[in-house]
Amino acid sequence: MDQEDIKIKLLEEISKTEKAISDYKELTKPIAPDVSIGRVSRMDAINNKSVNEASLRQAEAKLGNLKRVLDKFGTEDFGICLKCKQPIPVGRILIRPQSLLCVHCAC
């Protein structure tokens, strides 16, 4: 797989993550107290909001890492583990393009 295919994969993943962030932001809007839903339903809505907020934070962190990786694209630092400075296998980059660490250092 050549560098251009990896760049396309990165851009696709950034686009999907930005859409997910947009969806999560919609799901984490405040629950208006005047909306007439039952007490149990309101508790479920609050719980779901908390879960969606956690997913939003994870998606925002992923997007930040994807953008860091894309910034390194085309440089000698692209595909290099931040911790051990060894090359990250192409398979890992393709499966998890936001990876900044090799498998060994990520564990």
Side-chain angles (χ1 to χ4, degrees), residues 4 10 19 44-45 50 62 66 73 83 85 95 105:
E4 198 57 37
L10 274 169
K19 175 158 180 7
D44 284 341
S50 296
K62 178 181 177 181
L66 284 166
F73 188 82
K83 200 170 188 179
K85 306 299 183 206
I95 292 171
C105 292

Side-chain angles (χ1 to χ4, degrees), residues 8 18 27 39 43 48 82:
I8 290 169
E18 287 173 337
L27 292 170
R39 185 175 66 85
M43 289 172 31
N48 289 340
L82 292 178

Side-chain angles (χ1 to χ4, degrees), residues 4 16 21 41-42 45 58 91 93 99 101 103 107:
E4 198 57 37
K16 284 194 288 187
I21 288 172
S41 296
R42 181 169 301 282
Q58 288 177 341
I93 293 172
S99 297
L101 302 173
V103 176
C107 293

Side-chain angles (χ1 to χ4, degrees), residues 2-48:
D2 68 354
Q3 294 282 322
E4 198 57 37
D5 291 336
I6 293 172
K7 185 174 183 178
I8 290 169
K9 173 79 172 159
L10 274 169
L11 292 172
E12 288 173 355
E13 198 66 32
I14 287 172
S15 177
K16 284 194 288 187
T17 305
E18 287 173 337
K19 175 158 180 7
I21 288 172
S22 174
D23 293 344
Y24 287 133
K25 283 183 178 179
E26 190 66 33
L27 292 170
T28 57
K29 286 186 176 177
I31 302 161
D34 62 340
V35 175
S36 63
I37 57 177
R39 185 175 66 85
V40 173
S41 296
R42 181 169 301 282
M43 289 172 31
D44 284 341
I46 291 169
N47 185 47
N48 289 340

